[in-house]
Amino acid sequence: MENRAYSTWLEVDLGAIENNIKEIKKMTTAQVMAIIKANGYGHGVLAVAEAATKAGASWLGVARIEEALNLRAAGIQTQLMVLGYTPPVMIPEAMLNNIHVAIYQREMAKAYVVHAKKVEGRLKAHLKIETGMGRLGMAPEFAQDFLFEYKNHPQVEIDGIFTHFARADEPQARSAEQQLEIFNNLLNALRKAKLCPPMVHAANSAAFLNFPQTHFDMVRPGIVIYGLDPSPETKVPETFRPALTWKARLTSLRTLPAGHGVSYGSIYVTTKEERIGVIPVGYGDGYRRVPGQQVIVRGKLVDIVGRVCMDQCMLQLDSVPDAQPGDEVILLGRESAQAITANDLAKRWGTINYEVVCGLADRLPRVYYSS
Ligand SMILES: Cc1ncc(COP(=O)(O)O)c(C=O)c1O
């Protein structure tokens, strides 16, 4: 693994991602759509796309058409779906690149037809149903008429139907069961009317883990692919492995005299002679400008002192007398007995592990390996 060229970088274990997809496949007979939006949850979308496909994901899901087009431009041939909104003018591009889009409103479908006429063939789309998420989706009572209208349509082929859960990570809330009942009632009516599209899907990671009855023809796991927990109530099984480590190099190490301010605003002032190190990581990388943070140096947890800057922050290194400039520092990951997880960073930052990894800046080099 070549990282000498970098001062801070992410190490992504593609073996972990492959392992996690294989674990998912052991737990279901459904197809797997690996959710790789937002740069593969920060892990680097192309490498994740390749690893997920290699391990058996037959579909890849993204949020936006640009993400899908970038994957096609990079040579990814796996079936691709845009889960969010696709602007009508982009429909010809979607068709030319064999990308499925989501439809969730009649007017949207009409606009898509206009643009689909510009190229040969039929636009492939999955119909999204509102069952309780309150985000995107056609109300179930309109779905049957809509599917009847688009049956054998010359420009649009609706070959899938899906929904999304709001609270599948809270199994005791009964919310997922209620959403599932609404979805199942619709599916039963559609089957009776011979209007049910061939691909049915619903399960995000939490539903995949907590509710096997939501697997249908395909599951759509995101966070568990990366080996991370869907929520504090819904943990990823132990056979899954986290893929991400964030490292930086100690770029300076000095002894500052007592009474010396550290970083903007001098909110930290040395109380004695102190060994203060610098790592080239800041909020410009997706690290947060909050107090009370720690990193791992030579197997020990040390404090970040003073304000986090855009590209750098300072460490109190009195407890690591053998630290040297050039040492590897771990911001997220493990070394010897110490670990800092995405959950730990989420707690510090008052957010969820999803936001921690999705917020990792593009400028951070991703270094790939396989264990
Ligand atoms: C429609 C849809 N399906 C699946 C997922 C994957 O969710 P998770 O990462 O919780 O598995 C997402 C992500 O938010 C989504 O928006």
Side-chain angles (χ1 to χ4, degrees):
M1 193 176 3
E2 187 47 76
N3 58 35
R4 279 176 305 174
Y6 306 128
S7 54
T8 181
W9 66 98
L10 303 175
E11 293 179 358
V12 181
D13 182 356
L14 297 175
I17 292 188
E18 285 172 31
N19 169 74
N20 300 342
I21 297 272
K22 287 181 188 155
E23 287 299 316
I24 291 168
K25 287 186 69 76
K26 279 189 211 161
M27 294 162 70
T28 188
T29 54
Q31 290 192 61
V32 176
M33 176 189 280
I35 304 302
I36 58 168
K37 57 198 171 128
N39 198 18
Y41 287 44
H43 291 63
V45 69
L46 199 50
V48 172
E50 282 165 356
T53 303
K54 185 173 156 204
S58 47
W59 285 73
L60 302 170
V62 292
R64 307 201 181 132
I65 184 74
E66 305 88 279
E67 296 180 295
L69 290 172
N70 285 342
L71 286 165
R72 283 286 183 256
I76 298 294
Q77 290 176 357
T78 317
Q79 299 190 84
L80 266 180
M81 168 151 193
V82 176
L83 296 161
Y85 172 72
T86 300
V89 292
M90 296 308 288
I91 289 304
E93 284 291 313
M95 292 166 72
L96 293 169
N97 287 281
N98 194 22
I99 294 165
H100 274 72
V101 299
I103 290 182
Y104 46 87
Q105 275 170 352
R106 177 173 246 129
E107 309 77 62
M108 186 178 188
K110 277 191 191 147
Y112 285 2
V113 168
V114 172
H115 289 274
K117 284 182 178 158
K118 294 177 187 161
V119 291
E120 264 182 41
R122 294 164 88 201
L123 170 68
K124 292 195 171 168
H126 289 189
L127 178 62
K128 185 158 198 193
I129 303 297
E130 171 64 74
T131 57
M133 175 71 179
R135 194 168 67 177
L136 302 178
M138 181 176 283
E141 57 269 32
F142 300 130
Q144 186 159 333
D145 283 353
F146 178 82
L147 287 167
F148 182 74
E149 189 180 337
Y150 281 87
K151 197 178 176 183
N152 302 322
H153 192 281
Q155 271 81 42
V156 179
E157 179 184 357
I158 311 256
D159 61 353
I161 185 164
F162 70 114
T163 194
H164 191 52
F165 294 107
R167 301 180 68 183
D169 59 313
E170 303 166 78
Q172 67 297 347
R174 316 269 332 143
S175 161
E177 285 98 330
Q178 285 163 10
Q179 285 193 250
L180 185 61
E181 193 182 338
I182 293 168
F183 195 47
N184 270 328
N185 288 342
L186 172 65
L187 294 175
N188 288 337
L190 294 177
R191 284 184 193 118
K192 245 188 227 155
K194 299 210 170 354
L195 287 170
C196 192
M199 290 282 292
V200 178
H201 50 106
N204 59 359
S205 295
F208 165 73
L209 292 174
N210 291 334
F211 301 101
Q213 66 274 34
T214 63
H215 291 189
F216 295 106
D217 302 304
M218 180 159 74
V219 293
R220 300 193 310 268
I223 199 80
V224 295
I225 290 174
Y226 309 96
L228 303 175
D229 298 332
S231 76
E233 292 100 317
T234 297
K235 299 273 183 201
V236 70
E238 276 173 9
T239 48
F240 288 60
R241 299 189 340 235
L244 190 77
T245 302
W246 187 356
K247 290 186 179 172
R249 234 174 260 295
L250 201 55
T251 50
S252 165
L253 178 52
R254 289 187 298 155
T255 301
L256 296 182
H260 203 296
V262 175
S263 194
Y264 292 117
S266 303
I267 57 164
Y268 183 82
V269 179
T270 52
T271 53
K272 52 182 175 14
E273 273 200 345
E274 292 185 30
R275 281 157 54 80
I276 301 294
V278 180
I279 51 170
V281 174
Y283 56 80
D285 299 297
Y287 210 66
R288 289 281 179 86
R289 188 175 174 277
V290 297
Q293 308 210 64
Q294 293 191 310
V295 296
I296 303 170
V297 180
R298 296 206 174 207
K300 286 197 181 129
L301 282 171
V302 303
D303 291 339
I304 294 180
V305 289
R307 288 197 171 122
V308 172
C309 310
M310 188 185 295
D311 319 295
Q312 317 200 51
C313 56
M314 275 54 96
L315 312 180
Q316 214 295 357
L317 287 170
D318 283 357
S319 62
V320 198
D322 49 346
Q324 301 280 338
D327 278 0
E328 284 189 4
V329 175
I330 296 182
L331 295 105
L332 191 176
R334 54 181 66 245
E335 187 186 353
S336 350
Q338 296 300 344
I340 298 171
T341 65
N343 288 347
D344 294 333
L345 291 184
K347 212 180 207 175
R348 278 187 210 167
W349 298 351
T351 184
I352 53 173
N353 55 6
Y354 290 71
E355 193 183 347
V356 170
V357 290
C358 288
L360 295 167
D362 281 352
R363 75 172 176 177
L364 290 167
R366 272 82 173 158
V367 176
Y368 297 100
Y369 69 105
S370 192
S371 75

